Amino acid sequence: MRIVIVGGVAAGMSAAARARRLDEHAEIIVLERGNHVSFANCGLPYYVGGEIADRSSLLVQTPESLKAALDLDVRVRHEAVGLDAASKTVTVRSDAGEEELAYDALILAPGAFALRPPIEGLDSPRVRTLRTVEDAIAMRDTVEAGARRAVVLGAGFIGIEAAEALRLQGLEVDLVEFAPHVLPPLEIEVAAAVTAELGRIGITVNDGVAAQSIERGHDHDTVVLADGRRLEADLIVLSVGVRPDTAVFEAAGVECARGAMIVDEHGRTNLPAVYAAGDAVVSTDKVTG
């Protein structure tokens, strides 16, 4: 029995650990396109802010430790770029090239990618996201290289955590949110308390306004807001939401709704022997309800 799992962070590794508990003899292969598996996502802002000093503390497990503990074949820098459900194979791209990997059961946990709104100048090298260990390292390196002003686009949970981390490092921080208040899913009374706390620690909240463009400069960029205000920035953090990273699997026939893979109560997709888990799925109840 060969179980192939696409995605080696929270959902994928949880599925791998559970599969091993259910079957001591199965061959379990985990494909992760990034450099790390099983890292502390929630710790990333704390590394940026300096509260976590050593980057190695972000790594919970490694391919070697997972092999020793659970006999998992974890392959980093391996990306699933194709799926043929009829032949039960996944096309995998790695540093060595492409190969076809057969499976008896396939679990898809590809996660999501950061949304990139149509803002002119968003391709500036000063624009960063905060989703991976590499993102956190690059952001902290930018801070330690002398960044003094940051603009965070998006005041959801990650955006607020990034803003706080950068403020703890002594940067002047502007938080920009298109919605009328920070943390848009919450009630305005709760959001008002969060806004007050952000102001107390020195973060400037610009809510109810969108970023219109980013002007690149030699020493810094300038974020131009829709109301004409101009915010200078040595670092711009993009945190305006995510979208399920499912295009490859939708093209292969996995039924999706608004980009998320549709699963039943057992995590099964519409394709035989193909399951899905994590933040790239939606249940049939939510689709039909």
Side-chain angles (χ1 to χ4, degrees), residues 23-79:
D23 189 337
E24 295 182 3
H25 306 291
E27 179 187 9
I28 302 174
I29 300 173
V30 181
L31 306 174
E32 168 54 44
R33 67 184 170 193
N35 294 314
H36 304 288
V37 294
S38 191
F39 61 86
N41 303 67
C42 296
L44 300 181
Y46 298 100
Y47 176 76
V48 174
E51 294 164 283
I52 295 177
D54 187 352
R55 67 184 63 176
S56 65
S57 299
L58 297 171
L59 306 180
V60 181
Q61 297 281 358
T62 65
E64 293 76 20
S65 66
L66 289 165
K67 178 66 176 178
L70 297 172
D71 193 23
L72 302 178
D73 181 357
V74 178
R75 304 178 185 181
V76 296
R77 296 186 295 280
H78 280 63
E79 180 179 9

Side-chain angles (χ1 to χ4, degrees), residues 151-163:
V151 174
V152 179
L153 304 180
F157 292 107
I158 301 302
I160 286 177
E161 288 187 337

Side-chain angles (χ1 to χ4, degrees), residues 11 108-112 243-246 249 254-257 259-263 276-282:
L108 304 176
R243 180 177 175 82
D245 195 1
T246 56
F249 311 111
V254 175
E255 188 177 358
C256 295
M261 294 178 287
I262 300 173
V263 298
D279 55 4
V281 307
V282 63

Side-chain angles (χ1 to χ4, degrees), residues 114-268:
L115 288 175
R116 297 183 67 84
I119 298 174
E120 184 182 352
L122 200 62
D123 58 346
S124 167
R126 293 189 174 95
V127 176
R128 301 194 178 279
T129 57
L130 186 56
R131 292 186 56 79
T132 67
V133 173
E134 288 80 10
D135 288 340
I137 292 171
M139 196 174 297
R140 181 156 153 182
D141 287 347
T142 300
V143 171
E144 293 176 348
R148 289 294 175 262
R149 296 160 297 186
V151 174
V152 179
L153 304 180
F157 292 107
I158 301 302
I160 286 177
E161 288 187 337
E164 180 188 32
L166 294 169
R167 182 60 188 151
L168 287 174
Q169 290 281 35
L171 277 71
E172 298 176 17
V173 180
D174 273 273
L175 188 60
V176 178
E177 172 55 55
F178 176 69
H181 58 76
V182 302
L183 298 175
L186 301 185
E187 295 83 358
I188 191 169
E189 293 82 6
V190 178
V194 175
T195 299
E197 178 62 16
L198 291 168
R200 187 191 67 80
I201 65 175
I203 296 173
T204 301
V205 176
N206 307 274
D207 50 21
V209 64
Q212 190 171 61
S213 64
I214 297 171
E215 297 178 356
R216 296 172 62 171
H218 177 69
D219 297 321
H220 62 268
D221 286 356
T222 301
V223 178
V224 182
L225 304 185
D227 61 8
R229 280 179 288 166
R230 301 170 63 86
L231 308 176
E232 294 183 353
D234 304 307
L235 169 65
I236 301 168
V237 182
L238 180 63
S239 182
V240 297
V242 297
R243 180 177 175 82
D245 195 1
T246 56
V248 166
F249 311 111
E250 187 171 11
V254 175
E255 188 177 358
C256 295
R258 298 178 299 279
M261 294 178 287
I262 300 173
V263 298
D264 65 12
E265 65 271 23
H266 300 291
R268 295 176 294 202

